[in-house]
Amino acid sequence: MVKFSSDFTFALGKAEISAGASRSLKSLAEILKSDAAKKYEVLIVGHTDNVPITNPTTLRNHKTNWHLSVHRAIAVKDVLSTQGIPNVRMQVAGYGEHRPV
């Protein structure tokens, strides 16, 4: 299991990956492309806190924390995909406010 803290990967209420996190995900992709890891599937789980979203700008893009957590997982998947990890190996999930970090 590889676990990134949400503060490292995402800004509050956002699903955009920072430049630093993008570099780390590119390094992770190299590991996932190795012969030793090619046989494994990748489950990407997004998290948020358990504070309801009230910011109107955030609400326009993410109706709930659950939506935000899934959108974060998709953003990670997108970076890994651009680095050569086949989409067929990846799954995304989000826990939203139900398993806050």
Side-chain angles (χ1 to χ4, degrees), residues 8-21:
F8 172 78
T9 309
F10 299 98
L12 183 64
K14 303 287 184 184
E16 293 79 25
I17 295 181
S18 68

Side-chain angles (χ1 to χ4, degrees), residues 44-79:
I44 303 158
V45 180
H47 290 273
T48 64
D49 56 27
N50 59 358
V51 178
I53 297 172
T54 58
N55 182 314
T57 303
T58 303
L59 282 170
R60 275 194 292 276
N61 297 313
H62 319 288
K63 294 191 291 187
T64 67
N65 277 323
W66 208 340
H67 289 84
L68 176 58
S69 66
V70 172
H71 295 158
R72 288 176 171 179
I74 291 168
V76 169
K77 187 268 314 165
D78 288 345
V79 171

Side-chain angles (χ1 to χ4, degrees), residues 4 25 41 48 55 92:
F4 292 99
L25 290 170
E41 291 190 358
T48 64
N55 182 314
V92 296

